[in-house]
Amino acid sequence: MILPRSVVKVIDNSGIKFIRCIKITGSTNKRWAKYGELIKASAIVVYPRSKIKQGSVVNALIIRCIKPFNRTLGYIKFNENSVIILSDKLEPIGTRIFGPVLRELKVTNQNIFSLINDVV
């Protein structure tokens, strides 16, 4: 679960290393975001010569959380909170996604997750 002011790792090749969550989109009183939800965030640490500059506000989609995800045969839990960066049209900026992604997210967002190889 990602709260506002949480620092989150970016797992695509968009040029950003870490972001800070500003707002959870979808509701005015939402306190935390889970798998597959959109957030507004500010770029904290960026790679040199990146297209996106430090401090710019971006959209992000949550891919991994430390909070367990329940399935019928157990649960899946990741070691870190991770996101991918989206453009204003909600299309991914990066061309690759590194690491595993939940199968349930790939089924719901087919156009975004055509970039991945590892599905958990």
Side-chain angles (χ1 to χ4, degrees):
M1 296 189 313
I2 296 175
L3 303 167
R5 308 241 342 134
S6 297
V7 176
V8 185
K9 184 178 179 182
V10 178
I11 58 165
D12 61 0
N13 61 349
S14 60
I16 302 174
K17 292 182 186 179
F18 293 100
I19 61 171
R20 174 170 284 136
C21 176
I22 296 173
K23 182 170 183 354
I24 295 126
T25 58
S27 176
T28 55
N29 294 330
K30 201 159 195 177
R31 294 189 181 193
W32 59 78
K34 296 182 274 186
Y35 296 96
E37 294 186 12
L38 289 172
I39 60 172
K40 285 279 191 181
S42 174
I44 296 177
V45 180
V46 296
Y47 290 105
R49 297 180 301 278
S50 172
K51 294 178 185 176
I52 301 170
K53 300 303 175 194
Q54 185 174 355
S56 60
V57 177
V58 294
N59 294 318
L61 179 71
I62 300 171
I63 301 297
R64 296 183 213 145
C65 287
I66 296 174
K67 176 82 173 166
F69 180 79
N70 291 326
R71 285 189 176 163
T72 56
L73 298 175
Y75 65 91
I76 292 180
K77 182 179 175 181
F78 294 104
N79 293 333
E80 61 187 9
N81 296 323
S82 301
V83 297
I84 60 170
I85 304 299
L86 302 176
S87 65
D88 292 333
K89 299 177 184 176
L90 300 181
E91 296 175 359
I93 292 177
T95 56
R96 294 176 63 194
I97 297 174
F98 302 108
V101 176
L102 287 174
R103 185 180 326 124
E104 290 81 4
L105 294 180
K106 185 172 183 181
V107 171
T108 58
N109 300 327
Q110 238 358 311
N111 59 346
I112 293 174
F113 295 110
S114 63
L115 307 173
I116 63 169
N117 294 329
D118 298 332
V119 179
V120 177

